[in-house]
């Protein structure tokens, strides 16, 4: 009995100490940020650009967000949906991060969103456009600094319709992003009186395009819409030009087809038209300062992924400022992340109730190593957020 009586105060003391460590972690000490991004595979360069952009913003704030130091934890998700749940749990359960930032690939991001909901962890998505995440899966703890797959696709469909395209074909990888991007394109094109005569797909991340290019040549559509990104986009644009198709059938796409890829694509991408929420030469004080700072920090030019990483940090900072860095004020923090306009290199944008950017979609043209602004294809485009109930 004696030993039990002695043991209880010790246990209670230990529990109290543990609880107060938990409470302190909410209000002081470093904020633990879990970066789950692709650092290998076809999207590797995209992951690096996102991390660079995120860290650039944090550095500009003196290394702090909401007055708190930042501690990073990193996982290479390999753009591999089958490993996504294990990978995200390393950050949530092993590293006990306060905030998840990721990822690029929609299939991986869907697993992250599920885990974030199940564990009530904050999630900021710096790329993956899976429509469902700000649709049926939307939640107060999830926001996106990028786009929904529907957005740039829809804008390109509208532009193609205005250009008189009547018969188009689409080509993409068979996964959520490709399917949703081409669906958005089809919707925009049909508004302008055109239609998609055939959707071509191949498994992610395959790059054996030859048989599909032969089929395009045989069908002779008025235009082709392609969703590819990273290494796959480099190869596709080069193969399309090598087959001579770019001389007779315009190749359109969401801007991912030519973003961060132009040095490698060279002549094959020149004069291509794409739609996206960013253009390299936007002549604003914010974009000029961002591009200069990025080039100095990383000895390379930023792209849309770097912008999205930068803005993911800004969105998080907006929330943390509103609560003075106190993570225990979760509802207030989540609400402030959504309510504050973001002063982005792409131009100022707001977040919808579902947590997705409401933003201008630009028509861009490739000139040299830049995606140059041509016009606003669709102003303040909001994702329809079909199925989102908050
Ligand atoms: C996606 O999987 O949602 C995705 C990947 C790369 C992009 C855009 C979207 O460039």
């Amino acid at each position: 009995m004696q030993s039990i009586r002695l043991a209880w105060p010790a246990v209670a003391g230990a529990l109290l100490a543990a609880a107060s460590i938990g409470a302190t972690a909410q209000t002081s000490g470093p904020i633990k940020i879990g970066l789950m991004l692709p650092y290998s595979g076809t999207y590797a360069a995209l992951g690096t650009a996102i991390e660079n952009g995120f860290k650039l913003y944090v550095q500009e704030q003196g290394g702090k967000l909401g007055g708190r130091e930042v501690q990073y934890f990193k996982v290479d998700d390999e753009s591999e949906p089958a490993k996504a749940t294990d990978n995200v749990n390393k950050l949530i359960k092993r590293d006990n991060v306060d905030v998840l930032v990721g990822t690029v690939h929609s299939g991986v991001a869907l697993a992250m969103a599920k885990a974030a909901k199940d564990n009530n962890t904050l999630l900021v998505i710096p790329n993956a456009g899976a429509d469902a995440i700000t649709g049926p899966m939307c939640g107060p703890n999830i926001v996106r600094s990028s786009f929904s797959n529907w957005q740039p696709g829809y804008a390109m469909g509208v532009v193609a319709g205005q250009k008189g395209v009547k018969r188009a074909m689409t080509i993409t990888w068979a996964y959520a992003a490709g399917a949703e991007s081409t669906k958005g394109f089809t919707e925009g094109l049909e508004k302008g009186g055109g239609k998609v005569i055939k959707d071509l797909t191949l498994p992610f991340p395959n790059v054996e395009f030859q048989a599909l290019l032969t089929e395009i040549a045989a069908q002779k559509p008025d235009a082709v819409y392609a969703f590819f990104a990273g290494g796959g986009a480099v190869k596709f644009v080069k193969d399309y030009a090598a087959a001579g198709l770019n001389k007779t059938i315009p190749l359109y796409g969401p801007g991912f087809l030519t973003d961060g890829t132009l040095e490698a694509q060279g002549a094959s991408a020149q004069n291509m038209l794409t739609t996206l929420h960013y253009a390299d030469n936007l002549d604003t004080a914010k974009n000029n300062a961002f591009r200069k700072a990025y080039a100095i920090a990383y000895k390379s030019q930023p792209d849309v992924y770097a912008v999205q990483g930068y803005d993911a940090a800004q969105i998080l900072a907006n929330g943390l400022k509103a609560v003075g860095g106190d993570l225990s004020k979760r509802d207030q923090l989540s609400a402030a992340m959504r309510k504050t306009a973001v002063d982005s290199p792409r131009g100022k944008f707001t977040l919808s109730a579902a947590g997705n950017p409401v933003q201008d979609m630009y028509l861009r043209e490739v000139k040299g190593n830049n995606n140059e602004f041509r016009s606003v294809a669709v102003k303040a485009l909001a994702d329809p957020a079909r199925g989102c109930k908050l």
Side-chain angles (χ1 to χ4, degrees):
M1 272 318 273
Q2 184 106 13
S3 65
I4 290 173
R5 256 187 250 130
L6 282 174
W8 271 113
V11 171
L15 284 174
L16 268 176
S20 72
I21 288 166
T24 328
Q26 301 280 300
T27 51
S28 66
I31 292 192
K32 295 168 134 196
I33 295 186
L35 297 174
M36 180 155 149
L37 292 165
Y39 295 105
S40 56
T42 200
Y43 289 159
L46 289 59
T48 301
I50 288 168
E51 178 178 343
N52 287 349
F54 192 98
K55 289 186 167 169
L56 178 63
Y57 182 80
V58 173
Q59 275 153 24
E60 287 176 358
Q61 315 309 305
K64 291 186 177 183
L65 288 179
R68 297 190 43 187
E69 301 284 344
V70 173
Q71 188 179 6
Y72 295 105
F73 296 81
K74 277 169 64 164
V75 166
D76 176 7
D77 68 40
E78 303 167 44
S79 295
E80 178 50 87
K83 298 183 184 167
T85 302
D86 280 349
N87 279 331
V88 74
N89 279 329
K90 286 182 196 156
L91 294 168
I92 297 176
K93 303 209 162 114
R94 182 193 67 192
D95 301 330
N96 207 11
V97 299
D98 300 307
V99 186
L100 284 168
V101 176
T103 187
V104 168
H105 184 287
S106 275
V108 178
L110 285 163
M112 290 183 78
K114 180 164 187 318
K117 288 182 82 122
D118 291 350
N119 295 282
N120 193 24
T121 307
L122 274 180
L123 170 62
V124 185
I125 301 169
N127 185 72
D131 291 346
I133 294 177
T134 50
M137 291 181 79
C138 74
N141 57 325
I142 302 177
V143 291
R144 190 145 54 187
S145 65
S146 51
F147 56 87
S148 73
N149 288 321
W150 178 89
Q151 283 177 309
Y154 175 80
M156 196 67 238
V158 168
V159 171
Q162 287 163 353
K163 290 190 176 298
V165 171
K166 293 284 173 254
R167 296 168 66 251
M169 285 173 84
T170 71
I171 177 164
T172 187
W173 284 311
Y175 83 105
E180 292 167 358
S181 182
T182 53
K183 206 163 163 234
F185 172 78
T186 305
E187 197 179 321
L189 181 64
E190 284 178 352
K191 272 202 164 175
K195 65 173 193 210
V196 170
I197 56 165
K198 192 149 195 194
D199 295 305
L200 303 175
T201 61
L202 72 170
F204 176 87
N206 287 10
V207 290
E208 300 310 320
F209 301 119
Q210 223 45 54
L212 301 174
L213 293 175
T214 305
E215 186 163 358
I216 291 169
Q219 297 270 350
K220 296 190 178 57
D222 300 333
V224 168
Y225 176 84
F227 169 92
F228 295 105
V234 170
K235 173 98 175 8
F236 182 75
V237 169
K238 285 176 107 173
D239 285 4
Y240 195 86
L245 288 171
N246 60 341
K247 297 207 182 72
T248 49
I249 308 171
L251 174 58
Y252 298 142
F256 315 118
L257 200 54
T258 59
D259 232 273
T261 55
L262 289 175
E263 272 177 47
Q265 286 164 335
S268 63
Q270 292 307 305
N271 308 321
M272 272 180 63
L273 296 176
T274 61
T275 46
L276 203 63
H277 45 286
Y278 184 60
D280 294 314
N281 67 332
L282 294 174
D283 191 14
T284 60
K286 185 78 195 172
N287 190 42
N288 291 334
F290 167 75
R291 294 192 71 90
K292 195 170 162 195
Y294 190 97
I296 290 170
Y298 303 110
K299 314 275 176 282
S300 63
Q301 294 301 315
D303 54 21
V304 70
Y305 308 105
V307 171
Q308 292 167 175
Y310 187 83
D311 292 341
Q314 287 209 66
I315 290 172
L316 184 57
N318 289 342
L320 288 167
K321 265 180 226 155
V323 296
D326 184 351
L327 287 163
S328 69
K329 297 184 177 153
R330 170 64 82 77
D331 293 350
Q332 236 179 299
L333 191 159
S334 302
M337 281 168 72
R338 273 178 165 65
K339 274 194 194 114
T340 320
V342 184
D343 190 11
S344 169
R346 75 188 85 171
K348 278 208 172 70
F349 71 88
T350 55
L351 289 169
S352 66
N356 193 65
V358 178
Q359 55 194 344
D360 293 350
M361 287 289 144
Y362 306 129
L363 177 64
R364 309 112 45 89
E365 183 173 4
V366 175
K367 291 287 167 199
N369 282 341
N370 283 324
N371 286 287
E372 290 189 358
F373 172 86
R374 286 291 168 267
S375 62
V376 176
V378 186
K379 181 106 198 113
L381 184 62
D383 179 85
R386 293 169 187 132
C388 170
K389 290 187 195 75
L390 281 170

